Amino acid sequence: MRKHFVRMFPALKHLNIPNAITTFGMICGVFACFFIVHGEFRMVAVFLTLAGLMDFVDGFVATKLNQQTTFGKYVDTLVDFFTCGIIPGFLVIGMIVSDAAPLHQNVIIVAAMLYYTSCALWRLAYYNIVEADKYFVGLPVPGSMMMVTMSMWAVMRFAVPIYFSAAVFLTIGTLMVSGIKLPKYGLWQKIMSVMCVIFLILVLAVG
């Protein structure tokens, strides 16, 4: 029965727990887009944080279950570019539409966002062609997304100058395509996971 089903839908032979978690991260990204359109930036932060957490979890689970595959790597990359590369840019556009900021401020944040998104694209493409079993080369994209999301939330919630968020976009984008090396499933990911949880609680508590 299973073999017949797989013959009909061959892509589903790659269905496993890590890939299901990755797919759930993509679904969180779709919900984030929905709330951007409706101007519910608190919920955007919630679902982007959940998407970031799913990316940390899927890699950890794949390692523990010995289910690391080439298919899973490419699915993860596609989801990462959507949730971590595209949606932050979409969020910036949502911010501009909902806020009557001066033109020069909008130009600066859009330019910084485009730089960040371009760096995310190159970072993920580079990750797919370079084998690095024990470390990441360049700042991982999910962690990068969380940092720019936090900066934009600070701008929207606490009236932090938008130049701060633009500076974060530029800095994080540069670090993504840099040659810095961070151990996989080491201190970096533990710190980012804890930061995600704290940020999620803060957003839910403060609004």
Side-chain angles (χ1 to χ4, degrees):
M1 182 66 178
R2 176 179 171 79
K3 290 182 178 179
H4 178 68
F5 185 77
V6 168
R7 280 199 299 269
M8 293 179 61
F9 306 100
L12 294 183
K13 69 181 179 180
H14 299 286
L15 179 61
N16 56 27
I17 295 176
N19 290 340
I21 294 172
T22 303
T23 303
F24 180 70
M26 180 274 297
I27 293 171
C28 289
V30 172
F31 275 103
C33 290
F34 172 82
F35 286 112
I36 290 173
V37 171
H38 289 276
E40 296 286 343
F41 296 117
R42 177 188 183 188
M43 296 305 297
V44 174
V46 168
F47 278 98
L48 280 182
T49 303
L50 289 174
L53 283 170
M54 291 306 102
D55 189 82
F56 296 133
V57 171
D58 64 5
F60 178 78
V61 171
T63 301
K64 291 298 182 181
L65 298 180
N66 195 26
Q67 292 181 341
Q68 295 171 300
T69 63
T70 301
F71 181 89
K73 182 178 181 180
Y74 280 99
V75 168
D76 187 66
T77 299
L78 289 169
V79 172
D80 281 354
F81 187 60
F82 171 60
T83 58
C84 307
I86 297 296
I87 296 181
F90 193 29
L91 178 55
V92 167
I93 294 171
M95 289 171 58
I96 291 173
V97 170
S98 65
D99 184 26
L103 178 62
H104 70 278
Q105 289 188 7
N106 291 342
V107 170
I108 290 172
I109 189 63
V110 168
M113 174 271 291
L114 291 173
Y115 175 77
Y116 165 87
T117 301
S118 299
C119 290
L121 173 66
W122 282 70
R123 166 70 180 80
L124 290 166
Y126 184 72
Y127 173 75
N128 276 344
I129 63 173
V130 175
E131 291 295 330
D133 294 330
K134 296 182 179 180
Y135 56 85
F136 294 107
V137 178
L139 200 64
V141 177
S144 301
M145 179 271 287
M146 286 309 310
M147 285 186 275
V148 299
T149 299
M150 291 174 189
S151 74
M152 287 188 285
W153 181 73
V155 169
M156 291 181 287
R157 183 63 179 79
F158 300 108
V160 173
I162 201 168
Y163 301 111
F164 168 73
S165 190
V168 172
F169 270 109
L170 293 172
T171 302
I172 296 302
T174 300
L175 289 175
M176 281 194 291
V177 294
S178 70
I180 63 172
K181 295 182 179 179
L182 296 169
K184 287 187 176 181
Y185 316 118
L187 182 61
W188 157 257
Q189 287 194 312
K190 292 177 182 177
I191 291 174
M192 288 308 304
S193 297
V194 171
M195 285 180 62
C196 283
V197 173
I198 293 174
F199 179 62
L200 183 59
I201 294 171
L202 186 62
V203 169
L204 292 173
V206 176

